[in-house]
Amino acid sequence: MLNRRNFLKNLGLTGSLLTVPAAIVNANPFSKRGRIDLSLINLKGKVSANGKGLAGIAVTDGINITQTDKNGNYQLTSNPTAEFVYISVPRGYEIPSENGIASFYKKIDKNKVVQTNDFQLTALTVDDTNHNFVVWADTQMRSKADCELLKTQSVPDLQALVQSYPKGTPFHGIGCGDLVWDKFELFKDYKEAIQMCGIPFYNVIGNHDMDIEARTDDLSANTFKDQFGPTYYSFNRGELHYIVLDDVFYIGAAKRYIGYLTENQLQWLEQDLATVKPGSTIILSLHIPTFTGAARRANKDEVLGGTVSNREKLYKMLSGFKVHIMSGHTHFNDNWEEGDIMEHNHGTVCGAWWTGPICGDGTPSGYGVYEVTGSDIKWHYKSTGLPKEKQLRIYSKGRLKDAPEEISANVWNYDHRWKVEWFEDGIAKGDMEHRTALDPWAIELYEGPQLPKKHKFVEPTLNDHMFFAKPSTDAKKIKVKATDRFGNVFEEEISM
């Protein structure tokens, strides 16, 4: 295996600016208006804990990555196009945070040719090899009333979840984008909600967190950066390496965007992955899913704003690692797996935009919960206000008008390794039939131009987690038994 430091040096990660000819750097511009300043800035500092420097910590300006020396010192040649200098928090240390928001970065002063930024870390008092995290997708508040629902329903649910684990269990959250719904004044309420949760949150930019008055993608994240810092970065906890990316590419017209990863991020990612041991487990979070089954279900072409156009390039870069992708954006729950990559596209905290208790696919408002043991991960979907054991919903015969003779069940966090069986009056009847379908309750709540009253654009959406069975005419009781990939069994019954 290549020596890591030599490999980083060969990639130009030890502090050198990407080579720019001196003639270009020093050239007199035709006009000062709009000039890009490529003068050099020398970033330096120290990463330490309890007064002792920490070696091998990745430090970046979002362009290049360097690592601290044996005394914890770093130097990085940058330029005024960079906005932050920040670290990849190592395992075994607390996530630095301010009122619950991860604070792992310092803003670069573009007027100082030489500047020092030190980072102080605090060692954890417990081993973080085993730890938990949650993924909150699409809190997406548009009004103070929405914010109140977040604070009075979602926050207490997460507080109770954290308290249900042994005291001191390392926990963190990932806000998976669309933290608000274009109303930037509500970032304040989002932050207040996070602070109430009592665990540190890293945050992802979503399409509703962008400055839609910007003329290009480059400036569309200015407000988000003022609130939460860099839009792409990494950190470590236990044996896992976490990466956050910005895959919402604004095309310069109001509310128009595509799912796309820029070259700036990918060249940074290439360097970041060079610091990670091959075969490691990676948690990669972004807002727009890299891929879903939505186009297949609707028998339509993929929507450019619905998935990541250059995802295959990303997958190729992640080859050799075990990867779990965390995404939001769709307001439905969808899991897919191929080789060493699995994507969890989460149902939302806001459900169908705070209009009712479920998303358009019937998934309850809620969030993903992930339990990490070493490099292994187990997970479940936590429905807001419901016990963790609630993992499916049964509908009586004929509730879905397209299946008048069948009972149906929605197993919202289903993936291909689940098993869904049914029993009629205590007699095992085998596996239920798995079909793409609409959720009956979602149809009742959201279908048609007049529903729901709050946001009439909401409609029921096809999903891949509906199951069907045809009971006998004299059946009295039906039970559905769903077993997840970890052997956990969930059961629901209905009387006929």
Side-chain angles (χ1 to χ4, degrees):
M1 185 171 69
L2 287 174
N3 179 277
R4 182 177 299 173
R5 286 193 176 275
N6 287 340
F7 184 63
L8 294 174
K9 185 174 182 180
N10 290 337
L11 279 178
L13 314 184
T14 56
S16 299
L17 181 69
L18 297 174
T19 303
V20 179
I24 294 177
V25 174
N26 298 317
N28 291 322
F30 174 73
S31 169
K32 289 187 177 180
R33 184 176 181 179
R35 178 191 178 194
I36 297 176
D37 187 356
L38 292 178
S39 57
L40 302 183
I41 293 177
N42 185 29
L43 303 171
K44 61 180 183 177
K46 187 172 186 175
V47 182
S48 59
N50 297 323
K52 182 179 179 181
L54 301 176
I57 307 301
V59 184
T60 182
D61 60 351
I63 302 170
N64 288 327
I65 299 175
T66 189
Q67 290 181 310
T68 56
D69 64 19
K70 63 181 181 180
N71 297 313
N73 298 311
Y74 72 89
Q75 289 196 35
L76 186 62
T77 303
S78 187
N79 69 80
T81 65
E83 299 178 73
F84 303 96
V85 56
Y86 48 103
I87 63 171
S88 187
V89 178
R91 68 175 298 178
Y93 291 87
E94 292 182 6
I95 296 171
S97 62
E98 184 175 343
N99 298 325
I101 303 298
S103 56
F104 54 94
Y105 58 91
K106 311 278 188 180
K107 195 156 182 68
I108 292 175
D109 186 341
K110 299 176 187 295
N111 297 314
K112 288 185 179 180
V113 176
V114 178
Q115 52 191 280
T116 301
N117 291 288
D118 295 331
F119 295 89
Q120 302 286 337
L121 297 176
T122 302
L124 285 166
T125 57
V126 296
D127 185 1
D128 63 358
T129 301
N130 300 343
H131 65 273
N132 300 335
F133 67 96
V134 299
V135 177
W136 265 20
D138 301 74
T139 44
Q140 203 157 344
M141 297 87 67
R142 193 177 187 178
S143 66
K144 283 289 187 178
D146 295 343
C147 296
E148 189 64 18
L149 290 172
L150 179 71
K151 294 175 184 178
T152 59
Q153 296 180 4
S154 306
V155 168
D157 193 273
L158 178 51
Q159 290 172 329
L161 175 89
V162 173
Q163 291 168 5
S164 71
Y165 289 89
K167 187 175 182 180
T169 300
F171 238 112
H172 68 275
I174 298 172
C176 213
D178 281 0
L179 311 181
V180 297
W181 187 354
D182 302 325
K183 302 289 186 180
F184 294 160
E185 64 272 20
L186 301 181
F187 278 140
K188 177 176 179 291
D189 293 87
Y190 173 79
K191 288 183 171 182
E192 289 173 354
I194 294 305
Q195 185 176 9
M196 292 165 62
C197 291
I199 62 174
F201 261 75
Y202 286 93
N203 294 286
V204 180
I205 188 170
N207 52 291
H208 286 290
D209 304 317
M210 297 190 305
D211 297 289
I212 59 175
E213 300 303 321
R215 66 185 186 185
T216 66
D217 180 67
D218 302 79
L219 303 177
S220 65
N222 283 354
T223 300
F224 181 92
K225 290 175 181 176
D226 286 342
Q227 297 286 334
F228 304 103
T231 58
Y232 59 93
Y233 52 90
S234 69
F235 62 98
N236 304 276
R237 195 148 245 209
E239 297 179 12
L240 271 57
H241 184 67
Y242 292 80
I243 298 168
V244 168
L245 295 177
D246 169 10
D247 66 348
V248 185
F249 189 89
Y250 178 64
I251 63 173
K255 300 187 179 181
R256 299 288 297 278
Y257 56 87
I258 62 174
Y260 179 77
L261 293 166
T262 62
E263 177 60 25
N264 285 349
Q265 287 185 83
L266 294 181
Q267 68 86 26
W268 173 88
L269 178 61
E270 188 172 33
Q271 300 173 62
D272 182 74
L273 292 175
T275 70
V276 184
K277 181 182 176 182
S280 297
T281 299
I282 289 176
I283 306 297
L284 189 149
S285 299
L286 31 67
H287 179 62
I288 296 176
T290 66
F291 182 69
T292 73
R296 169 183 50 78
R297 290 191 288 269
N299 195 27
K300 295 180 179 179
D301 292 335
E302 286 187 44
V303 178
L304 283 175
T307 55
V308 176
S309 300
N310 56 342
R311 60 178 175 266
E312 293 298 336
K313 306 298 188 295
L314 174 66
Y315 299 159
K316 185 175 181 181
M317 294 177 68
L318 295 170
S319 177
F321 299 99
K322 298 174 183 177
V323 183
H324 288 267
I325 299 174
M326 308 290 160
S327 58
H329 185 58
T330 63
H331 292 249
F332 57 66
N333 209 67
D334 197 27
N335 297 305
W336 67 267
E337 184 175 16
E338 186 172 331
D340 287 331
I341 296 179
M342 183 171 189
E343 180 157 10
H344 310 261
N345 184 220
H346 295 80
T348 59
V349 174
C350 72
W353 295 268
W354 300 108
T355 60
I358 59 174
C359 301
D361 68 336
T363 300
S365 306
Y367 51 97
V369 181
Y370 297 83
E371 301 169 341
V372 180
T373 305
S375 61
D376 295 327
I377 306 175
K378 293 183 178 180
W379 57 86
H380 67 273
Y381 187 86
K382 177 62 178 70
S383 301
T384 303
L386 298 174
K388 63 179 292 185
E389 293 76 21
K390 181 69 174 179
Q391 295 294 323
L392 68 149
R393 184 187 309 114
I394 308 178
Y395 295 105
S396 58
K397 187 169 71 172
R399 182 84 176 268
L400 184 65
K401 299 299 186 288
D402 291 341
E405 300 299 319
E406 296 175 293
I407 60 107
S408 57
N410 191 334
V411 186
W412 42 79
N413 209 28
Y414 170 83
D415 64 59
H416 69 99
R417 292 178 59 183
W418 282 60
K419 185 176 180 63
V420 183
E421 308 163 89
W422 70 293
F423 299 77
E424 181 179 287
D425 295 329
I427 299 173
K429 306 294 284 187
D431 293 343
M432 296 185 75
E433 183 182 350
H434 182 204
R435 298 205 301 261
T436 297
L438 295 172
D439 177 88
W441 193 15
I443 294 173
E444 296 162 5
L445 289 174
Y446 306 135
E447 188 173 60
Q450 300 306 313
L451 294 175
K453 185 176 180 180
K454 184 175 181 179
H455 298 306
K456 293 183 173 57
F457 65 85
V458 177
E459 290 292 331
T461 54
L462 289 167
N463 71 73
D464 286 331
H465 39 76
M466 291 295 298
F467 294 82
F468 295 84
K470 186 176 181 179
S472 305
T473 55
D474 57 350
K476 295 180 175 57
K477 184 171 290 187
I478 301 295
K479 179 174 76 173
V480 175
K481 174 183 176 183
T483 307
D484 72 10
R485 65 196 289 144
F486 309 113
N488 298 308
V489 176
F490 309 101
E491 296 180 344
E492 297 284 337
E493 287 187 348
I494 58 169
S495 297
M496 302 295 288

